Amino acid sequence: MKRTETKNVMDRRSFFKISAVAGGGVMFTLPFAEELLAQGRGGAAPPPPNPNNFIKVALDGTVTIVAKNPETGQGVRNMLPMMIADELDVDWKNVKLDQADFDDSKYTAQSSGGSTATPNAWTPMRQAGAAGRAMFVTAAAQKWGVPETELTTGSGKVNHASSKRSVGYGELAAAVAKLPAPDMSRVKLKDASEYKIIGKKHSAYDISKIVTGAPIFGVDVTLPGMLHACFEKCGVFGGKVVSANLDEIKKLPGVKHAFVVERPIVTDAVIPGEPGLENGIAIVAETWWHAQSARQKLKVQWDEGIHASESSVGYQAKAEAMGKAAPQRTLRADGDADGALKSAAKVVEASYSYPFIAHAPLEPQNCTAMFKDGKLEMWGNSQQPGRGRKLVSDTVGVAESDISLHMVRAGGGFGRRLTNDYMVEAAWIAKQIPGVPVKLIWSREDDMRHDYYRPGGWQNLKAGIDASGKIVGWKNHFLSYGDGETFASSSAMGPTEFPQRFVPNYTLQSSVQRLGIRTGALRAPSSNAFAFVIQSFIDELAHAAGKDPAQYRLDLLASGAPVPAPAAPPAGGGRGGFAPPGMNAERMIGAMKLAMEKSEWGKKKYPAGTAQGIAFHFSHMGYFAEVAEVTVVGTKVKLNKVWVAGDIGSQIINPSGAENLVHGGVIDGMSELMMQEITVDKGRVVQGNFNTHGMVRINQAPPVIEVHFVKSTASPTGLGEPSLPPILPAIANAIFTASGKRLRQLPLSKAGMSWA
Amino acid sequence: MAFKLNVNGHSTSVDVPPDMPLLWVLRDVLNLKAAKFGCGIAQCGACTVHVAGQPVRSCSYPVSSVGTKAVTTLEGLSATGNHPLQQAWETVDVPQCGYCQAGQIMSAAALLAKTPKPTDKDIDTAMSGNLCRCGTYLRIREAIHKAADMGPNASAKTVQTASKE
Ligand code: FES
Ligand code: FES
């Protein structure tokens, strides 16, 4: 695609560049959603539009939209272009999507995580489409000499009803390329009732490739002359190679190279977010199997470093000691919780805990790299490729401008691919063998034993209720990991954690211990554990008060102080500057009521051993209330049915993707609840594969998960995460009602429970 | 060691160690990338292919055990990607990340070959070796039923493809 003419029309009223394309099409070059958002907030001066982020309309009316975010299965490849295409008024079947490369220094950040794509993109993507449509209307009006108000659009055409004329966008493209960009203040967005694409079910854009087995994933990357690598690291984080039998290894069949990787690495009391390249041994061979087979013959003497004596038993003992001692810090103190507990009619006390768990996306970590003429070319599926490239640059000493990066589809992310250790390893290996492309694949054991784990933790809770059952005092001693005032990654609890603002006397205190394994964000970070604790404990209070657990929650939500104003966005706007407002109780009440209505809460008569449980949780700006129906026989739990009610704003952009993601949230939550636990012994992670860190299988999945949405007036928000947290306590609360067992420790398998 | 294999109806020779799992022969030697590596220990089913019409976990199936038996991968399930299961998968929009789906479809194809009208229970039994990390199980059930409704010969076609030299 050669641009024949370029006109830069960046001014306050416009936000894209318009250019003609050889052969007669037109191209609109867009800045990124985040940049537009920053402008909208009066942030930094508008950055120049990125020429790799565009909408192109060809002569035949085909629309090509470049998708810029990494796709990990969350459906973002459909959603953002759907917003553009609807406002542009073209048919979805004529839209082609291209995945943007991360291939030069023009890009700043393209990332996927935190359920942020939808809220960031909702307005700017629609505006971009609407502005494009407005320009086709202007071009047609000029061509026919009629007022724009007499023109309508549809299916990529401009129509003039009274003269029965119609012209395709493709034919207008050359004229549009000569027009100035429209005044954005006059570009009208569609009313929701006019949507033809948004709000309709669309299958994943790549679905034909997926069902025919096309090589679209990171592990599928294949290049001429490519070699295959594996990488053996010390089981203890930060361990170093003292000696290894590399001479023997190099002689094994198919093996081409073997290297000791020696790098200084930070092995602190709390391991920083991305500690860099770990020490170890890289084996490069003809096929991955040859490399991995040679690896089985490795004899390595390790210097295991400072973390080799850590264990889960040790963490537990330390937590018990900390729980008995005075808390190290007070994170929040509203009113007088101690006083309220003293005068309460009833005090309920309980200790909850949850383990480390692994992300284990089904596609193991991998990355392909080639070093040639001082430059690195890489193929990867990081959720934060920008950070990955920087880490590669810092570690292997190639300037970022000399690293090109192709973004390949990821077989799941769940937060694991926010960190980029495998990228750095691939780059390091490639640099040792210039001119040869190398694909590094981790084994499942590598993935499970070198993760950034969802941190475990303990919460010692105490609450007082008055004679009417109302919560008058709440105390939580939160036991986590960290060092002094620093929490380990994803190990913190915020001072506004529910039910802060809904209980007059609220104290949140914390104590931390150090740890030598890496922690990080797993789908719905912190919420995935906190919802279980808080919503189970609230259930305990409801039962102690002799109240219906659903009505008890509604009353609690209704008692809250108003939402405080959201924190101001960081100066200059910018990325990662999303400042989510606090929970709006009204919206959560709406979700609760819908879940109760759909599940016929309290209206069904169940036999002994079968019951419903309910829970809600606010995370990533999504409001979710969920009801689970279980049957408990002995230690076997059957999940019969789930009702999910969510409020993620005024519009569900792709209902097919949305329902699928909610199913995933529920099933993922079932795995976390019942069966997942990472333990540490002698500084090493014990579990290595799905036989010891399993997940729910199809025979355990419920027959029905009903998914309902409250359409509120709020702007749409993301769905990658918020449906997951409430399912854990909803099921646990149902198990309590069905069996009388109040289970406070995750996973429930520790109490002998399992899915039927 | 040289092995003569029959993969997706084509005869082909490979020179690989006898204990090399079929998965890596397919992926790294024959450049057939549909079958995926997920666990390497027959726990996840991402690597499922058919050997003589039977679903096998190719990560744990040494190439030396294949012999003259026909191997079918997702690439060879249908000539144009229109096997009833592939069509149903598209209509139901089963995948999220999509990584497990090649294995899911191959297990489902083997199920339909034996049981053209499976019940939910049949599906759960036949498909319980295939993990989906994204949790698409409800749609997998739905799509298998849909494919079963589409044609009683869905399964027969599969077997033909598998045994064609
Ligand atoms: S890779 Fe073969 S079963 Fe998992
Ligand atoms: S769709 Fe992602 S693992 Fe199944």
Side-chain angles (χ1 to χ4, degrees), chain A residues 3 58 72 207 267 269-270 313 395 417 452 663 718 746:
Chain A
R3 268 171 274 153
T72 60
I207 194 154
T267 54
V270 175
V313 174
T395 314
R417 297 188 221 271
Y452 289 80
H663 286 179
L746 294 183

Side-chain angles (χ1 to χ4, degrees), chain B residues 23 36-47 57-60:
Chain B
L23 174 67
K36 295 288 188 276
F37 169 57
C39 68
I41 58 163
Q43 282 287 314
C44 77
C47 62
R57 311 297 177 218
S58 64
C59 70
S60 307

